[in-house]
């Protein structure tokens, strides 16, 4: 006995996405499920959904009754398990024809677990729903007995004819109905006397009439035909009838057994339409979507999913979701019975930048399959971070303006008195120099506050950046000498001139050089580099050989009061990022542990003009 039962581990995988599309998908799947359940629960025919290996995925109660087994017992079998030895070859041929024809139907002998023998009529529709085959199983034991015994006993035939649940018509070579059983009269909504006045093709319209003629020709050639066709009843009602027609063994008559499969056909059509709608939503969705089997292997993905993870579909199909999960930093939350959700981030291979996403995982969107929806929220995260920094900058700007205004006036007074005391023999000149250095540092801090407040009156001018860098290096020569640091200057062959706010750009370069000095407490080499591209962009680099900055802290550079050394206020880098941004440029940072850090400033060829308010 074959069995398809396995212990399926619970899977955990990304999930996410557009709430609107998810809602549409869920409503679609719920509607499909209700229709399918209705057909399954009310059909007199046995119905199953099975995969391409014959494993049963869904069965209905009628199927259990046909095979006289409970649900659990029959679900452990494969389709065709009960076929009797004499029917095995026919069943195997059905399986081969199914892929080519898309639909097969045959009568097969079966042997039940309790030893009983039956005849079933098995019809299989290839991939009626997704990759699952729909099988309809009808107990035709009585019909088979009917056909086998028609020649043996007219009385027995009459009894079966009158009591059969399926409609039976007997008609002559002119296709005129000569007899009908009660089930046929009920099926066609007519009395027996009315039935006998009808030509068989009177129930066929348009294309169905041509199809009927084709079936008629096959009966004449082979003596038997099976199929289905749409009949139009006298009241105009359309019914899809499945039939088996045989030439009678006595007399020049034909016998046809009919069964109404209108609801079954409608179910298949709706399932196929549902599949197509789901496919369209799946393929055209802007969010990434993937379908996993119960073991966590990917069976389908859409284009957005492949684009998000920078892979092609063939690389993902049949691979385990963990191959993707290992490249992501995931945070799970909102676990529930029907699924779970969370957030994650990864490094994009194409750009090296961080990509943020949210995801949802819905369990059992159809039997043994789960849906993952992923949405790229990188831009949203970036906007939230920019907004947070902007709000912080505004608050600090207002605070800086107030503090700078209050400090600047007394600072000027103190500087004036220091200048008066300069050279006075009554005052210790060495201590006076110390006070002067501290005053200069305090003045630099006030200048940084003024840059944050945007209340310093400034103007753009053309600046020779080569000379500015040289002046700064000379200005900081004593400090570098104290720290045992040598500065290497690398300039192009042509002087670089640039329209900017002189004091602001000067402050940025000074901040970066000071940071480099502070990062090398044991001395070393500091390199400054200046170049101009053919398109007019300016690049200024400051490279140190310090301890480096950890990767997880680089993104925090430029935040208020965040500093890379123990000294300083933390305002320097914040001011630098702000100034370069106002000039339309950007600062990039690369750092390696114990190797050093490179700050690279890019200034555009045509900086935007920023108007500053004059300090009140």
């Amino acid at each position: 006995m074959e069995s398809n039962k396995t212990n399926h581990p619970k899977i955990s995988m990304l999930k996410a996405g557009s709430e609107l599309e998810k809602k549409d998908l869920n409503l679609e799947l719920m509607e499909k499920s209700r229709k399918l359940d209705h057909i399954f629960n009310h059909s007199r025919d046995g119905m199953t959904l099975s995969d391409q290996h014959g494993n049963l995925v869904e069965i209905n109660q009628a199927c259990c009754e046909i095979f006289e087994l409970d649900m659990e017992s029959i679900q452990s079998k494969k389709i065709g398990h009960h076929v009797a030895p004499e029917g095995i070859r026919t069943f195997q041929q059905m399986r081969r024809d199914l892929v080519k024809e898309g639909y097969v139907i045959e009568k097969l002998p079966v042997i039940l677990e309790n030893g009983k023998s039956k005849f079933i009529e098995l019809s299989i529709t290839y991939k009626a729903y997704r990759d699952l085959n729909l099988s309809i199983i009808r107990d035709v034991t009585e019909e088979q007995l009917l056909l086998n015994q028609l020649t043996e006993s007219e009385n027995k035939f009459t009894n079966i004819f009158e009591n059969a649940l399926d409609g039976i018509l007997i008609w002559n070579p002119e296709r005129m109905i000569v007899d009908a059983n009660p089930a046929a009269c009920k099926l066609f909504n007519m009395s027996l006397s009315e039935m006998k006045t009808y030509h068989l093709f009177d129930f066929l319209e348009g294309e169905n009439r041509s199809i009927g003629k084709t079936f008629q020709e096959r009966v004449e050639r082979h003596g038997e035909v099976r199929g289905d066709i749409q009949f139009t009843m006298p009241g105009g009602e359309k019914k899809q009838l499945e039939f088996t027609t045989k030439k009678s063994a006595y007399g020049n008559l034909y016998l046809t057994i009919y069964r109404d499969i209108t609801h079954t056909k409608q179910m298949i059509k709706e399932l196929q339409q549902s599949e197509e709608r789901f496919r369209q939503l799946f393929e055209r969705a802007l969010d990434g979507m993937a379908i996993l089997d119960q073991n966590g292997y990917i069976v389908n993905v859409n284009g957005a999913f492949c684009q998000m993870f920078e892979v092609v579909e063939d690389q993902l199909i049949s691979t385990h979701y963990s191959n993707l999960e290992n490249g992501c930093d995931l945070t799970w939350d909102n676990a529930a019975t029907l699924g779970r959700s969370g957030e994650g981030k990864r490094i994009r291979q194409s750009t090296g930048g961080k990509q943020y996403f949210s995801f949802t995982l819905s369990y059992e969107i159809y039997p043994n399959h789960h849906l993952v929806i992923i949405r790229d929220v990188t831009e949203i995260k970036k906007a939230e971070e920019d907004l947070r920094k902007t709000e912080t900058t505004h608050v600090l700007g207002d605070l800086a303006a107030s503090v700078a205004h209050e400090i600047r006036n007394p600072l000027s007074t103190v500087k004036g008195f220091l200048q008066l005391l300069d050279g006075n023999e009554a005052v210790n000149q060495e201590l006076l120099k110390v006070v002067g250095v501290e005053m200069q540092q305090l003045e630099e801090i006030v200048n940084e506050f003024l840059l944050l407040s945007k209340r310093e009156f400034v103007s753009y001018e053309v600046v020779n950046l080569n000379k500015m860098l040289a002046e700064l290096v000379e200005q900081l020569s004593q400090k570098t000498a104290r720290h045992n640091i040598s500065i290497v200057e690398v300039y192009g062959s042509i002087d670089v001139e640039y329209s900017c706010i002189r004091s602001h750009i000067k402050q940025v370069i000074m901040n970066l050089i000071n940071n480099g000095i502070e990062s090398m407490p044991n001395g070393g080499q500091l390199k400054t580099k200046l170049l101009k591209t053919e398109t007019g962009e300016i690049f200024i680099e400051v490279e140190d050989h310090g301890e480096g900055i950890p990767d997880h802290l680089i993104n925090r550079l430029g935040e208020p009061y965040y500093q890379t050394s123990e000294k300083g206020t933390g305002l320097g880098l914040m001011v630098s990022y702000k100034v370069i941004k106002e000039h339309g440029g950007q600062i990039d940072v690369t750092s390696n542990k114990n190797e050093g850090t490179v700050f690279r400033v890019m200034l555009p060829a045509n900086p935007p003009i920023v108007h500053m308010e004059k300090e009140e």
Side-chain angles (χ1 to χ4, degrees), residues 453-467:
S453 69
K454 283 189 179 180
R455 296 188 182 180
E456 184 184 22
F457 181 72
V458 294
S459 62
Y460 282 73
E461 58 183 294
V462 177
V463 178
N464 187 310
L465 295 180
N466 300 69
K467 292 181 179 180

Side-chain angles (χ1 to χ4, degrees), residues 296-311:
Y297 287 92
I298 299 172
V299 299
N300 206 349
V301 294
N302 69 350
F305 191 97
C306 295
Q307 184 177 10
M308 186 174 297
F309 284 93
E310 301 176 294
V311 292

Side-chain angles (χ1 to χ4, degrees), residues 329-333 341-345 359:
D329 182 11
L330 300 181
T331 302
W332 289 95
D333 57 15
S341 63
E343 295 182 342
K345 63 181 178 181
F359 58 86

Side-chain angles (χ1 to χ4, degrees), residues 239-287:
K239 290 185 179 181
Q240 195 76 20
L241 301 184
E242 186 179 73
F243 64 87
T244 300
T245 297
K246 278 182 172 287
K247 268 190 175 183
S248 178
Y250 61 96
N252 197 16
L253 297 175
Y254 300 83
L255 180 144
T256 303
I257 301 175
Y258 293 96
R259 172 164 291 217
D260 189 350
I261 60 168
T262 304
H263 293 301
T264 301
K265 280 287 184 178
Q266 183 64 26
M267 180 197 70
I268 294 174
K269 181 179 179 181
E270 289 175 353
L271 287 176
Q272 291 172 340
Q273 290 174 345
S274 173
E275 161 75 4
E276 180 58 25
R277 285 193 292 269
F278 177 81
R279 172 60 53 190
Q280 292 296 325
L281 285 170
F282 186 81
E283 291 296 341
R284 297 184 181 184
L286 298 178
D287 293 330

Side-chain angles (χ1 to χ4, degrees), residues 295-553:
N295 296 315
Y297 287 92
I298 299 172
V299 299
N300 206 349
V301 294
N302 69 350
F305 191 97
C306 295
Q307 184 177 10
M308 186 174 297
F309 284 93
E310 301 176 294
V311 292
V312 296
E313 184 176 345
D314 292 343
Q315 293 177 313
L316 291 177
I317 301 303
S318 300
T319 62
H320 200 266
Y321 75 86
S322 59
N323 293 334
L324 292 174
E325 191 177 49
N326 288 338
C328 303
D329 182 11
L330 300 181
T331 302
W332 289 95
D333 57 15
N334 301 327
T337 304
L338 299 179
R340 60 192 311 182
S341 63
E343 295 182 342
K345 63 181 178 181
R346 61 184 292 271
I347 302 299
R348 292 189 68 93
Q349 295 179 356
S350 59
T351 62
K354 290 185 179 179
Q355 178 188 30
Y356 296 87
F357 53 85
S358 61
F359 58 86
T360 55
L361 172 62
S362 297
Y363 298 140
E364 300 287 337
I365 61 163
Y366 62 92
N368 300 322
H369 288 79
H370 318 293
L371 175 66
V372 176
I373 303 177
I374 303 178
R375 167 168 289 183
D376 190 326
V377 295
T378 304
E379 292 303 320
I380 296 175
K381 288 285 186 181
K382 183 178 179 182
E384 289 175 349
E385 181 64 19
D386 288 345
L387 179 61
R388 184 182 67 81
K389 288 183 178 180
T390 300
E391 290 176 345
T392 303
T393 302
H394 287 166
V395 172
L396 285 175
D398 292 339
L399 177 61
S402 177
V403 171
H405 181 77
E406 295 297 328
I407 293 177
R408 208 174 193 187
N409 289 335
L411 184 61
S412 298
T413 302
V414 174
K415 283 183 65 177
F417 281 113
L418 287 176
Q419 290 172 358
L420 290 175
L421 293 174
D422 186 19
N424 190 329
E425 296 179 357
V427 179
N428 189 322
Q429 294 298 310
E430 291 301 321
L431 294 178
L432 197 62
K433 288 180 180 179
V434 173
V435 175
V437 171
E438 296 299 324
M439 286 295 298
Q440 184 178 355
Q441 184 176 349
L442 181 58
E443 190 172 20
E444 289 176 359
I445 294 174
V446 171
N447 289 335
E448 289 178 342
F449 275 121
L450 288 174
L451 283 177
L452 283 177
S453 69
K454 283 189 179 180
R455 296 188 182 180
E456 184 184 22
F457 181 72
V458 294
S459 62
Y460 282 73
E461 58 183 294
V462 177
V463 178
N464 187 310
L465 295 180
N466 300 69
K467 292 181 179 180
M468 178 185 286
L469 266 172
E471 290 172 359
L472 285 173
V473 171
E474 177 63 26
Q475 184 178 337
L476 294 169
S477 59
Q478 292 184 359
K479 183 174 183 179
T480 56
R482 289 197 304 271
H483 288 79
N484 195 26
I485 293 173
S486 62
I487 298 182
V488 177
E489 302 172 63
V490 180
Y491 306 117
S493 58
I494 301 175
D495 283 355
V496 177
E497 293 189 339
Y498 190 67
S499 178
C500 62
I501 304 173
R502 174 189 289 271
S503 60
H504 289 191
I505 296 299
K506 184 176 181 180
Q507 185 72 44
V508 170
I509 299 173
M510 179 175 287
N511 287 341
L512 297 182
I513 294 176
N514 276 325
N515 280 349
I517 293 172
E518 297 295 339
S519 71
M520 296 187 292
N522 298 321
Q525 186 184 85
L526 187 72
K527 181 186 290 186
T528 62
K529 184 176 181 181
L530 172 65
L531 62 90
K532 184 175 183 179
T533 67
E534 294 180 357
T535 57
E537 294 175 325
I538 308 297
F539 287 93
I540 303 170
E541 290 185 3
V542 177
E543 179 181 356
D544 66 57
H545 293 86
E547 296 180 354
I549 304 172
D551 290 340
H552 67 281
L553 297 179

Side-chain angles (χ1 to χ4, degrees), residues 537-540 580 583-588 600-605:
E537 294 175 325
I538 308 297
F539 287 93
I540 303 170
I580 297 304
H583 279 75
Q586 64 183 42
I587 299 178
D588 294 323
R600 194 168 195 243
V601 178
M602 187 283 289
L603 294 170

Side-chain angles (χ1 to χ4, degrees), residues 43-47 60-68 106-112 116-123 135-146 160 164-166 242 257-259:
S43 175
R44 292 184 300 171
D45 293 334
M47 304 181 74
N60 70 347
Q61 185 60 37
C63 187
C64 298
E65 294 172 359
I66 291 173
F67 290 96
E68 301 182 21
E106 287 290 348
K107 289 182 179 178
L108 298 168
V110 295
I111 299 175
L112 308 187
K116 288 184 181 179
S117 296
K118 286 187 178 183
F119 280 91
I120 63 167
E121 186 177 83
L122 173 64
S123 63
S135 299
I136 300 177
I137 305 167
R138 183 193 308 167
D139 187 350
V140 295
T141 306
E142 291 187 1
E143 293 178 18
Q144 192 64 34
L145 290 174
L146 168 65
I160 296 174
L165 296 176
D166 293 325
E242 186 179 73
I257 301 175
Y258 293 96
R259 172 164 291 217

